Amino acid sequence: MAHDSMTRPGRHIDSDHPSIVAFARSTTAGIGDDKDKAISLYLAVRDRLRYDPYNIDHTEGGFRASRCLASGRGFCITKAAVLAAAARAVFIPARVGYADVRNHLTSPRLEAMMKTDLFVFHGYAEMFLGGRWVKATPAFNLTLCAKAGIEPLEFDGVNDSIFHPFDASGRQHMEYVRDRGTYEDVPRDEILAAWRAVYPPETGWGIPLEGDAVELSHDFEKDVAARAPVRTP
């Protein structure tokens, strides 16, 4: 079949893992159309898995979709892997893509940790629907968007779903600065090499050690909410 390699399980997009299969099947139960299945999967990954950039596991297992699903939280790279894996589990061709972005609404704590507002290898998923590849970005869950004053990204299975350049208050939000291309599986080694080149070693992102994670006992949603503008009636 077309795009056969994009329906098979990978090392990190482990679409044959029992938890991924169960998640995908339960989420799409009773849905016959691939587009509607993709929308249902997108919303489930976006909102059931909490966005958490304070806990990055650099290990081989830490980049797997099944690990992210089990933890109930992840960041853009791992949440995109979950969406791609779940799509493959219901026979929708899927892959992952990356871009470097400037996040103008990051939390002060995360910006201080990273020493920059540049997110290298921001991840998203692509699914083959209606004869074309469609981008889907399930990173920011609904509750985070509400607290941050950001319009949640929707996905209709037809149009690309990528970050808005401005938030609901008109502040600059996300700027795409470099396209990293698409991959059949998460390019962990390439991602870690890019992080080493960009982020200072003391952040934990710069020179991750096998078995280590960047883990802070803080609430990202609470930090972002504290920075969000006060809304007037």
Side-chain angles (χ1 to χ4, degrees):
M1 63 177 290
H3 307 297
D4 183 61
S5 64
M6 304 296 181
T7 60
R8 292 194 295 262
R11 176 175 295 180
H12 299 103
I13 301 178
D14 50 348
S15 54
D16 58 346
H17 192 281
S19 65
I20 295 289
V21 174
F23 170 78
R25 289 179 177 174
S26 65
T27 301
T28 61
I31 303 174
D33 182 74
D34 278 355
K35 183 184 76 171
D36 292 336
K37 286 181 180 180
I39 293 170
S40 183
L41 290 171
Y42 171 82
L43 293 173
V45 174
R46 187 191 73 180
D47 296 331
R48 292 188 206 172
L49 302 178
R50 187 176 182 181
Y51 180 74
D52 180 13
Y54 288 164
N55 188 354
I56 308 295
D57 184 348
H58 299 102
T59 67
E60 185 78 21
F63 277 72
R64 290 198 180 105
S66 58
R67 176 76 66 83
C68 176
L69 182 63
S71 70
R73 63 183 182 177
F75 66 121
C76 59
I77 290 174
T78 52
K79 291 188 68 174
V82 173
L83 180 54
R88 290 182 186 181
V90 292
F91 310 109
I92 298 173
R95 62 192 184 189
V96 284
Y98 304 93
D100 295 352
V101 299
R102 290 199 179 278
N103 183 354
H104 296 271
L105 297 182
T106 184
S107 74
R109 180 176 283 112
L110 183 60
E111 189 169 349
M113 183 178 80
M114 296 175 64
K115 313 298 185 185
T116 179
D117 64 356
L118 181 67
F119 283 61
V120 175
F121 268 91
H122 153 69
Y124 57 89
E126 286 191 347
M127 291 173 281
F128 195 75
L129 301 166
R132 58 183 290 268
W133 288 103
V134 186
K135 293 180 172 64
T137 308
F140 292 167
N141 50 289
L142 196 60
T143 56
L144 172 62
C145 291
K147 292 177 181 178
I150 300 168
E151 293 293 339
L153 279 181
E154 302 299 341
F155 177 69
D156 61 8
V158 177
N159 299 292
D160 288 339
S161 174
I162 59 175
F163 282 129
H164 306 302
F166 300 96
D167 75 350
S169 300
R171 297 178 302 169
Q172 194 170 17
H173 169 37
M174 200 71 70
E175 176 188 358
Y176 288 79
V177 297
R178 177 179 177 182
D179 181 11
R180 294 273 185 173
T182 58
Y183 297 77
E184 291 185 18
D185 203 352
V186 179
R188 172 179 173 266
D189 292 344
E190 190 173 338
I191 291 169
L192 295 185
W195 286 358
R196 291 187 187 100
V198 172
Y199 300 122
E202 64 269 18
T203 66
W205 285 45
I207 307 180
L209 302 176
E210 194 71 23
D212 286 354
V214 176
E215 184 169 4
L216 302 178
S217 57
H218 297 291
D219 186 326
F220 183 70
E221 288 192 14
K222 184 180 295 185
D223 288 348
V224 169
R227 184 170 179 167
V230 176
R231 294 190 178 185
T232 56

